[in-house]
């Protein structure tokens, strides 16, 4: 039994190393003094962070990505929370089918989604536009919000809503006064997931972004294709740090949601 457990721990450790090392190795490369990406770095310098922060093109791509991510995460959170609430409380027979449709972007190969979005946008005139980027990221981020909020709603005691409505509050006021405060951690977690999804999205952006509305990930891909510039490593390190901090926030929200669920149950 002990030998089996040790083997399991070793296997898990090897998997974690396999997943983490490619990410961690980028960090020292981002501080390299060399002209090209090399490991180990021959020396250390902040020149590539300075190159990134001092480049108007990189800063414009960063601004576009952050703007699109914030707007799409906000829209996806509102629509996704409403959709999750409707799915959770509906008794219609088509609820499961509707939920499957809303979650399709999670299970559909992203290349297929990107090609489909490209052809639709080509007809609608939304290629290389900010609204087009936002709409695409809303579609991709909504499933994360719906999934997270549904988890919170399943832990929520519906009798509290019934009591509130019996005291004269309508469904909308009941949702904002009673339900939303208790599922807030799930809503925040869904919003953070939607933000990460929009910020890191690359494949769809390759098809639909361009010109002045070029996202950071597409510009990184283009830079890698044209020249292996260590500036890419500096940007990747920053994106990894941001994603890591957001994942920590999600974990903290999930812990708070668990405590709220236990309190509601009691």
């Amino acid at each position: 039994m002990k030998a089996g457990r040790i083997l399991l721990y070793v296997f898990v450790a090897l998997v974690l190393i396999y997943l983490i090392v490619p990410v961690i190795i980028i960090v020292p490369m981002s501080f390299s003094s060399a002209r090209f990406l090399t490991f180990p770095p021959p020396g250390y310098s902040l020149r590539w962070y300075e190159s990134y922060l001092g480049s108007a093109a990189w800063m414009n791509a960063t601004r576009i990505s952050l703007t699109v991510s914030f707007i799409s995460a906000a829209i996806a959170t509102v629509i996704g929370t409403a959709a999750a609430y409707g799915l959770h409380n509906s008794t219609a027979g088509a609820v499961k089918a509707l939920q499957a449709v809303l979650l399709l972007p999670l299970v559909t190969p992203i290349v297929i989604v990107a090609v489909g979005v490209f052809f639709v946008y080509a007809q609608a005139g939304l290629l290389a536009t900010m609204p087009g980027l936002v709409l695409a990221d809303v579609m991709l981020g909504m499933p994360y919000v719906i999934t997270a909020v549904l988890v919170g709603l399943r832990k929520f005691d519906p009798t509290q809503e019934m009591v509130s409505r019996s005291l004269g509050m309508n469904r909308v006021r009941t949702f904002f006064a009673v339900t939303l405060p208790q599922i807030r951690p799930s809503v925040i977690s869904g919003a953070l997931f939607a933000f990460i999804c929009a910020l890191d999205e690359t494949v769809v952006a390759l098809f639909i972004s361009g010109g002045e509305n070029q996202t950071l990930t597409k510009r990184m891909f283009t830079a890698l294709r044209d020249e292996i510039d260590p500036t890419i490593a500096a940007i990747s390190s920053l994106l990894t740090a941001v994603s890591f901090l957001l994942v920590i926030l999600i974990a903290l929200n999930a812990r708070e949601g668990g405590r709220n669920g236990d309190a509601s149950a009691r």
Side-chain angles (χ1 to χ4, degrees):
M1 190 69 177
K2 282 188 175 181
R5 181 170 295 182
I6 291 173
L7 287 175
L8 176 62
Y9 289 158
V10 171
F11 175 74
V12 171
L14 290 174
V15 171
L16 289 175
I17 291 172
Y18 175 77
L19 293 174
I20 293 173
V21 167
V23 176
I24 295 178
I25 203 173
I26 291 294
V27 177
M29 292 172 68
S30 70
F31 292 98
S32 175
S33 60
R35 179 68 182 82
F36 300 99
L37 287 172
T38 56
F39 186 85
Y44 293 93
S45 170
L46 293 174
R47 61 181 293 193
W48 304 116
Y49 288 91
E50 294 172 355
S51 173
Y52 165 60
L53 295 173
S55 169
W58 282 116
M59 287 295 98
N60 180 67
T62 303
R63 179 183 61 80
I64 293 296
S65 285
L66 290 175
T67 302
V68 169
S69 298
F70 277 114
I71 295 175
S72 60
I75 296 174
T77 301
V78 173
I79 299 176
T81 300
Y85 185 75
L87 291 171
H88 180 72
N89 289 283
S90 177
T91 57
V95 168
K96 293 296 182 182
L98 179 58
Q99 182 175 343
V101 170
L102 291 173
L103 298 182
L104 268 179
L106 277 180
V107 297
T108 305
I110 191 64
V111 173
I112 295 176
V113 174
V115 171
V117 171
F118 172 79
F119 281 109
V120 171
Y121 279 16
Q123 296 295 323
L126 290 173
L127 291 176
T129 65
M130 182 77 75
L133 289 170
V134 169
L135 288 174
D137 285 335
V138 168
M139 174 191 64
L140 295 172
M142 262 184 53
Y144 294 99
V145 179
I146 292 172
T147 302
V149 175
L150 280 174
V151 171
L153 287 170
R154 291 189 182 110
K155 297 178 180 178
F156 173 67
D157 183 5
T159 57
Q160 297 181 51
E161 280 193 344
M162 295 172 62
V163 171
S164 174
R165 295 182 66 187
S166 70
L167 294 175
M169 295 182 72
N170 58 34
R171 184 178 288 274
V172 175
R173 289 186 60 194
T174 296
F175 174 79
F176 284 104
V178 178
T179 309
L180 185 59
Q182 297 198 51
I183 64 169
R184 178 174 56 86
S186 296
V187 174
I188 294 175
S189 295
L192 291 174
F193 272 121
F195 179 82
I196 293 174
C197 174
L199 186 63
D200 291 343
E201 208 295 310
T202 304
V203 179
V204 175
L206 289 175
F207 281 81
I208 67 171
S209 71
E212 294 183 356
N213 292 313
Q214 187 178 64
T215 63
L216 183 60
T217 51
K218 179 173 181 178
R219 179 160 181 79
M220 290 172 66
F221 183 87
T222 304
L224 280 173
R225 183 191 62 191
D226 297 339
E227 181 183 5
I228 303 179
D229 188 341
T231 305
I232 303 298
I235 300 170
S236 299
S237 298
L238 293 174
L239 286 176
T240 300
V242 171
S243 298
F244 181 72
L245 290 174
L246 291 176
V247 169
I248 291 176
L249 288 176
I250 291 170
L252 293 175
N253 269 288
R255 181 179 300 178
E256 180 182 347
R259 287 198 297 265
N260 288 346
D262 294 339
S264 177
R266 288 195 295 268

